[in-house]
């Protein structure tokens, strides 16, 4: 059950579960018997969850039941689609994962076991990934005679580059937790079973970030990083001025100058 947010458990399919702890909502993929494979109702449930988050929620953590984060697209639902309905299905995933990535709150994914195919597409729409040591990443689409359709060709190269994704698709290469972190698939590697606790600790920190800074990081930073430098520098200046002009920022800077705010520590 979700508290302080708009979504109720009744709005969600039974393959998803939600609980809140203060400003943090935890969305759990709850289909362990099928390794959390994403059927359409689960994907649409993820969209509904994000679209109806209440204002009290400042951070979302996505975790999963069982030993695997997500086995990707539910292959049982991959019936013969004609070309246009195949495009529409892929675009539905794009729409949903866009809401995850470009919504109002930072998203932290807790990874373990299989993070494959559409599972990696969901994980790469999150802003921070915490991988338990059992995590492995793969794009088995290459071996199934299909292509990624849930945004991987846009998001995964941003994390690891086109050449590594090409290798994953063509050779079936898998990355483990440690080598995955080394190439950029996760920012953290933690011991088995420690993923959620770590994510909640990170979420506490994220929830304490000023709204104008969160907005800048989620909305401005990705655009600036993709802009030509000339436009990027201007966008950065505008965003910096907007953020520093807020009463919140002025208060935080005054707190530091008056010795009330934490110093940066080694
Ligand atoms: C599934 C799926 C699935 C498991 N769709 N049912 N994804 C893949 O190609 C990955 C396919 N899955 C696997 O390689 C393995 O299942 C795992 C490595 C993830 C886990 O292995 P394991 O030994 O723990 O489980 P299992 O015995 O293989 O699977 C348990 C059950 O989950 C079994 O069903 P059951 O009724 O026989 O018990 C499996 O059939 C079921 N299951 N994965 C449906 N993916 C928008 S485009 C995105 C394109 C893609 O994501 S393609 C990649 C699809």
């Amino acid at each position: 059950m979700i508290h302080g947010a708009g979504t109720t458990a009744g709005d969600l399919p039974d393959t998803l579960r939600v609980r809140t702890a203060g400003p943090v909502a935890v969305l759990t993929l709850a289909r362990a018997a099928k390794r959390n494979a994403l059927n359409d109702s689960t994907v649409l449930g993820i969209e509904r969850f994000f679209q109806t988050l209440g204002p009290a929620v400042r951070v979302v953590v996505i975790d999963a039941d069982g030993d695997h984060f997500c086995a990707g697209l539910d292959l049982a639902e991959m019936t013969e689609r004609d070309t246009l309905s195949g495009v529409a299905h892929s675009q539905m995933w794009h729409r949903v994962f866009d809401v995850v990535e470009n919504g109002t709150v930072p998203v932290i994914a807790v990874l373990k076991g299989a993070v494959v195919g559409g599972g990696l597409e969901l994980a790469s729409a999150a802003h921070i990934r915490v991988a338990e040591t059992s995590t492995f990443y793969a794009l088995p689409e290459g071996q199934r005679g299909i292509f990624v359709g849930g945004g991987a060709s846009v998001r995964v190269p941003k994390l690891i580059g086109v050449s590594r994704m090409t290798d994953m698709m063509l050779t079936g290469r898998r990355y483990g937790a440690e080598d995955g972190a080394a190439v950029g698939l996760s920012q953290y590697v933690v011991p088995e079973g420690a993923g959620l606790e770590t994510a909640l600790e990170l979420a506490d920190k994220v929830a304490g970030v000023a709204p104008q800074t969160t907005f800048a990081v989620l909305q401005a930073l990705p655009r600036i990083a993709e802009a030509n430098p000339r436009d990027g520098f201007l966008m950065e200046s505008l965003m910096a001025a907007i953020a520093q002009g807020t009463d919140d920022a002025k208060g935080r800077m005054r707190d530091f100058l008056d010795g009330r705010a934490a110093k940066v520590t080694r």
Side-chain angles (χ1 to χ4, degrees), residues 80-196:
E80 294 134 41
R81 291 193 184 99
D82 63 28
T83 309
L84 273 184
S85 58
V87 171
H89 186 261
S90 167
Q91 288 181 321
M92 182 271 278
W93 278 55
H94 291 167
R95 190 187 73 226
V96 174
F97 291 175
D98 183 67
V99 173
V100 177
E101 183 181 25
N102 298 310
T104 51
V105 298
V107 180
I108 304 174
V110 181
L111 309 180
K112 59 185 165 180
V115 181
V116 304
L120 179 53
E121 293 180 310
L122 173 59
S124 61
H127 303 95
I128 297 174
R129 284 162 293 280
V130 177
E132 296 187 355
T133 45
S134 64
T135 302
F136 60 95
Y137 308 90
L139 291 171
E141 289 90 337
Q143 283 65 57
R144 311 249 180 267
I146 55 176
F147 188 59
V148 294
S153 37
V154 172
R155 293 192 178 94
V156 173
K158 282 186 193 159
L159 300 177
I160 65 173
V162 171
S163 66
R164 288 197 183 93
M165 178 167 164
T166 300
D167 182 28
M168 291 175 82
M169 291 287 294
L170 295 184
T171 71
R173 177 166 181 167
R174 297 169 8 149
Y175 284 91
E178 293 287 354
D179 55 350
V183 298
L185 286 166
S186 81
Q187 292 97 327
Y188 297 89
V189 177
V190 298
E192 209 47 29
L196 181 60

